[in-house]
Amino acid sequence: MLYAIFGNDVADSLAKRQAARPAHLARLQALQNEGRLLLAGPFPAVDASDPGMAGFSGSLIVAEFATLAAAQAWADADPYVAAGVYAQVAVRPFRKVFPA
């Protein structure tokens, strides 16, 4: 089943994000290599594709996991969690409708 993982950043998270980004991306690449990643990306803190020093306000990952508990465990082990980038992480079941 698909699960949506929402990470909400702490204030001024940009430096922490940059430091933890390689490890974070490696985990996402592993999901993609397994054919389990639907989409992933950050929420710019301002209305721009490159927010510069404004940074990001959070992230969204939609991926396939066997159970909600497995998705939560994967999210809890994210390098952004360990680095203090995320103030809060929520994991919810997700049903893709479009594109078909």
Side-chain angles (χ1 to χ4, degrees):
M1 178 163 186
L2 291 173
Y3 293 89
I5 301 169
F6 299 90
N8 293 313
D9 283 22
V10 298
D12 301 316
S13 64
L14 187 58
K16 292 177 182 179
R17 267 184 173 270
Q18 290 170 332
R21 189 169 191 260
H24 174 76
L25 292 181
R27 294 180 82 234
L28 292 171
Q29 185 65 56
L31 283 179
Q32 182 173 326
N33 292 348
E34 295 167 6
R36 297 171 43 205
L37 183 64
L38 182 64
L39 64 89
F43 298 114
V46 295
D47 189 13
S49 60
D50 180 359
M53 294 307 294
F56 300 92
S57 62
S59 302
L60 170 64
I61 299 163
V62 179
E64 184 178 343
F65 293 92
T67 64
L68 178 59
Q72 186 68 59
W74 188 92
D76 290 345
D78 193 290
Y80 280 179
V81 172
V85 173
Y86 293 149
Q88 178 184 28
V89 177
V91 180
R92 297 185 187 128
F94 180 80
R95 183 173 162 209
K96 180 181 176 236
V97 175
F98 288 103

